[in-house]
Amino acid sequence: MKPFIEEALARAYYQVKPWMSRRLQIMLRSVVAKYKRYIFQNVWPIDPEAGAMPPGFQGWPDGRRFSVVLTHDVDTARGVARCEQLMALEQELGFRSSFNFVAHDYHLPPALRKKLVAHGFEVGVHGLEHNRKLYESPETFEEHAVKINNYLKEWGAVGFRSPCVYHNFEWLHRLDIVYEASAFDTDPFEPQSDGLKTIFPVHQTKVPGREYVVLPYTLPQDFTVFILFREKDITIWKEKLRWIAEHGGMALLITHPDYMSFDGNVDYDEYPHHLYRELLDHIKTEYEGQYWHQLPHEVACFWNKSMCKP
C-alpha cells in the first residue's frame, strides 16, 4: 500500500476513532491487517533483506549469538494495574524489561516507577497522549518535545517510544534521549509502515551532539499476533526468533500489559499471559547460553561504544 494512501487512511481513522467502540476499532483493524498479511507475506514476519549484518559489527558481548530486549508499552490504566504482575513474571524467569508510560492519559503512581527501577527494570516515555498528535506538525512536535524532555528528566529515563510507533528521525533529535524505539524491521500493519529493513540498531547522527540510537522492534507485537490475528500459540514468535538468532541480530519485542489477562478471564481484546511466559521459557531453554539479554539503554550504550567510535 502506497505511503500517501496509508497516511490518508490513518488520518481518517484517527478522526473517527473517538466515536467508535473499542470492539469496532479492533474489528476494522483486523480486516485490514488480514488483507495486508496476504499481500505482504513475502516480507512479514520475516523480511529477508533485514538480516544483513552492519559493516564493522564484531558481534555481541561475551560471544553471544544474538541479543534479546524486552519492552512493554503501557497504553491505558488497565495496563498500569498489571505492571507489577508482569514484572513478577519476568523476575521469576530471570528477565528484565522496560516499561514505557504515556504521561497524560492516566495516573502513573511514582511509587510504581520507582519500584520498577529498584528491581532492575527500566522506565521510558511513550508520549504525552496515545494518539498521532505528536507528529501533526513541526510546531506541535516542538511543543510536545519540551514536555517530553521534562518527563524524561523527572523519571530518570533515557528512552522514548512514540505513540502508535510513528517516527520522524530528524525531529527526534530534539529529545534528550539515548535511544528511540518507534521503528521496526518490518511491520506492514502499522499506520506508518516504512520498515528499517534491519534487525540491528541504527545510529542517528544527523545533529552532532544530539545523536541517539534507534532500537527497532523485530518480533511482531502481541497486539498484532493475538488480538488482530487471533493466533492461539506462539509459532510466529518462535519462527522469527529462530531467524533472528541465525542472523545474529537483535530480538526486540513490544508487549502490552493492557492486553495480557492474568486472571483467567480473557476478554475480546486480551490474550492469556501464559503465551508470553511460554516465549520467555522458550528463549531460556532453547537458546540457553546463546543470547545477550539487556535493557534497551544498555544495548544502546553498547552500540554507541562498539559501532560509533570517532
Side-chain angles (χ1 to χ4, degrees):
M1 193 174 292
K2 298 294 184 181
F4 70 89
I5 299 177
E6 286 188 330
E7 176 65 14
L9 289 174
R11 284 182 177 274
Y13 172 76
Y14 281 106
Q15 284 178 353
V16 301
K17 181 181 177 182
W19 290 275
M20 292 192 298
S21 69
R22 179 61 172 164
R23 190 181 293 270
L24 178 58
Q25 292 172 25
I26 291 175
M27 183 187 74
L28 291 176
R29 290 190 62 180
S30 181
V31 170
V32 174
K34 288 175 181 176
Y35 167 70
K36 285 189 171 185
R37 186 176 185 178
Y38 172 74
I39 63 175
F40 291 108
Q41 58 185 303
N42 293 331
V43 294
W44 189 91
I46 295 172
D47 181 350
E49 295 183 20
M53 190 168 290
F57 180 55
Q58 300 297 313
W60 302 104
D62 305 322
R64 299 303 170 97
R65 186 180 175 194
F66 65 105
S67 64
V68 172
V69 185
L70 304 175
T71 73
H72 311 293
D73 289 353
V74 186
D75 294 348
T76 65
R78 183 172 75 175
V80 174
R82 297 174 177 178
C83 286
E84 292 196 45
Q85 289 172 288
L86 182 50
M87 179 182 70
L89 184 159
E90 292 177 334
Q91 285 182 305
E92 177 188 342
L93 296 174
F95 289 90
R96 299 179 299 153
S97 62
S98 70
F99 287 77
N100 299 304
F101 295 102
V102 184
H104 290 174
D105 278 359
Y106 47 71
H107 173 62
L108 174 60
L112 174 60
R113 288 192 288 103
K114 294 175 182 178
K115 184 172 184 178
L116 287 167
V117 174
H119 283 78
F121 290 69
E122 182 177 342
V123 169
V125 178
H126 192 31
L128 302 181
E129 305 169 12
H130 200 270
N131 53 42
R132 55 168 291 137
K133 290 181 181 178
L134 178 63
Y135 292 100
E136 283 295 328
S137 68
E139 293 76 19
T140 300
F141 187 90
E142 181 66 27
E143 180 182 341
H144 280 231
V146 173
K147 297 176 182 178
I148 289 170
N149 284 336
N150 288 337
Y151 281 107
L152 287 164
K153 183 177 181 180
E154 178 185 344
W155 295 358
V158 296
F160 177 76
R161 176 174 286 139
S162 300
C164 313
V165 292
Y166 280 100
H167 46 272
N168 181 314
F169 298 128
E170 182 174 349
W171 294 1
L172 284 163
H173 285 286
R174 297 292 301 148
L175 301 185
D176 301 330
I177 52 177
V178 171
Y179 72 89
E180 199 281 336
S182 308
F184 38 83
D185 61 332
T186 179
D187 192 343
F189 313 111
E190 289 302 317
Q192 184 182 350
S193 61
D194 52 341
L196 291 180
K197 290 185 173 293
T198 181
I199 52 174
F200 295 88
V202 177
H203 201 221
Q204 292 291 335
T205 60
K206 188 169 184 178
V207 180
R210 299 195 67 84
E211 300 91 346
Y212 63 88
V213 176
V214 178
L215 299 179
Y217 65 83
T218 56
L219 290 172
Q221 292 194 44
D222 58 346
F223 180 82
T224 302
V225 175
F226 302 121
I227 309 302
L228 296 184
F229 293 149
R230 301 295 176 184
E231 299 287 338
K232 302 302 181 184
D233 57 41
I234 64 168
T235 298
I236 291 176
W237 276 348
K238 286 182 177 180
E239 290 178 349
K240 183 65 180 287
L241 181 65
R242 175 186 53 78
W243 186 82
I244 292 171
E246 289 175 350
H247 289 78
M250 175 182 65
L252 192 152
L253 175 65
I254 300 176
T255 55
H256 302 76
D258 315 69
Y259 309 129
M260 289 186 193
S261 172
F262 287 88
D263 62 6
N265 298 314
V266 182
D267 209 341
Y268 70 94
D269 62 346
E270 295 178 313
Y271 67 94
H273 77 280
H274 72 74
L275 292 171
Y276 180 58
R277 173 186 283 272
E278 185 180 344
L279 174 66
L280 299 186
D281 275 326
H282 176 71
I283 294 172
K284 189 174 182 180
T285 56
E286 184 72 17
Y287 298 98
E288 183 178 5
Q290 300 179 47
Y291 60 92
W292 186 60
H293 171 52
Q294 298 290 321
L295 294 171
H297 83 270
E298 294 167 330
V299 175
C301 289
F302 160 75
W303 201 259
N304 268 325
K305 292 178 181 177
S306 63
M307 296 292 290
C308 309
K309 297 177 182 178

